[in-house]
Amino acid sequence: MFQIRTDLALETREKFDEDHIEVKGVRVDEERISPEIMITRVFIDTENGAKAMGKPVGTYLTIETPNLAMPDEKSQTVIAEKVCSFIKELIRKFEVKDKDLSILVVGLGNREVTPDSLGPCVADHLSVTRHIVKEYGKYAIGVDDAPMISAVVPGVMGQTGMESAEIVRGIVSETNPDVIIAVDALAARNSKRLNRTIQIADTGIHPGSGVGNHRNGMTMETLGVPVIGIGVPTVVDAATIVNDTMENFIRALESSDSLKGVGEVLRSYNAGEKYEFVKELISPHLNGMFVTPKDVDEMVHHISHTLSEAINMLFSAGSGRSEA
């Protein structure tokens, strides 16, 4: 099977289903909590499953909703509450200390490039509390078990000359957070998931992996503390869009009496061969290009507020460690 460009574990798993390939060590659990919100959990349980999926062993929670980028306060609150509950779920899984929880939020990406500015925008909207708690005590913010939240936007290598992971590693050594929440923009396989999907993973995050720009990952192994990765797909590979269009074209040919034979010939190519054929056709002008919606600036604005509110809820209602 050819390697599709996506950061979403859900899409990688779907590709195996489309090709009728069984992947051992990978489980999927789906739950529709409302007509607009679908929750999917992808569990990669074994190293063999991780190798097949191209992702580390762990849990990948996905929220799909067409309302994610909509300026609807009620919908945004519902989504933020769900994201907050997932973060709490993973924090409990990490079994960090019960009280005085310290969380470092890392806003990954380049704020000068709109589709890549999600992480910095989320950090901008956070209610950071570490400095208040350190100076005046936790009672200064009115919540007994509120975690200390700090935030940093490390920029990208082209701006700083350093890997984001190197910068964050230095901050970790100085501030000793219990958990890191890394927020980043992702790449999707399906354009219908752009700005409509949130992935939350307990495996950390690998900046730039979806667009082929591999940087050092931010994980428990590299930073020494648990890392929760939160991402929203804002771009899709141009070759993928053309490939999907080609699939629709083949189906149209197959439904035509006079052109049915042409459609059958094209259908004889496997998915990988068709994808490579498309890449050759659009090269060199479009190969390697990634596409984003024209109103991505407004979408990122709304989504960043939703994600920051979800993180802010962690201290407004406590860290959730005492919940069942």
Side-chain angles (χ1 to χ4, degrees), residues 211-281:
V211 297
N213 184 23
H214 296 279
R215 303 262 65 92
N216 289 341
M218 295 189 189
T219 64
M220 175 71 175
E221 291 72 27
T222 61
L223 299 178
V225 295
V227 182
I228 297 173
I230 301 179
V232 175
T234 59
V235 297
V236 64
D237 186 5
T240 295
I241 296 177
V242 177
N243 187 65
D244 291 343
T245 303
M246 183 177 178
E247 286 293 324
N248 294 332
F249 178 60
I250 292 174
R251 282 193 287 269
L253 289 176
E254 291 175 331
S255 64
S256 170
D257 293 336
S258 59
L259 299 174
K260 186 175 182 179
V262 178
E264 291 175 348
V265 171
L266 291 174
R267 180 66 69 187
S268 66
Y269 292 97
N270 62 40
E273 290 171 336
K274 281 184 286 189
Y275 185 76
E276 291 301 321
F277 176 61
V278 166
K279 288 179 66 177
E280 289 180 9
L281 285 178

Side-chain angles (χ1 to χ4, degrees), residues 128-163:
V128 293
T129 59
R130 182 177 182 271
H131 60 305
I132 299 175
V133 175
K134 296 284 283 186
E135 183 72 21
Y136 304 107
K138 60 185 177 181
Y139 301 106
I141 56 177
V143 182
D144 291 347
D145 60 346
M148 294 189 295
I149 296 181
S150 54
V152 63
V153 178
V156 294
M157 181 176 283
Q159 297 170 323
T160 66
M162 296 176 284
E163 291 273 5

Side-chain angles (χ1 to χ4, degrees), residues 18-56:
E18 291 172 5
D19 294 338
H20 306 290
I21 298 174
E22 180 182 358
V23 183
K24 295 183 179 179
V26 179
R27 297 177 290 120
V28 178
D29 179 26
E30 295 182 342
E31 176 189 7
R32 181 168 291 281
I33 63 174
S34 75
E36 295 83 21
I37 301 178
M38 169 68 82
I39 306 296
T40 305
R41 289 174 169 83
V42 177
F43 303 94
I44 302 180
D45 298 323
T46 66
E47 290 299 332
N48 286 337
K51 184 177 180 180
M53 292 282 288
K55 299 184 182 298

Side-chain angles (χ1 to χ4, degrees), residues 114-136:
T114 304
D116 196 32
S117 65
L118 179 65
C121 288
V122 170
D124 290 345
H125 303 317
L126 287 176
S127 297
V128 293
T129 59
R130 182 177 182 271
H131 60 305
I132 299 175
V133 175
K134 296 284 283 186
E135 183 72 21
Y136 304 107

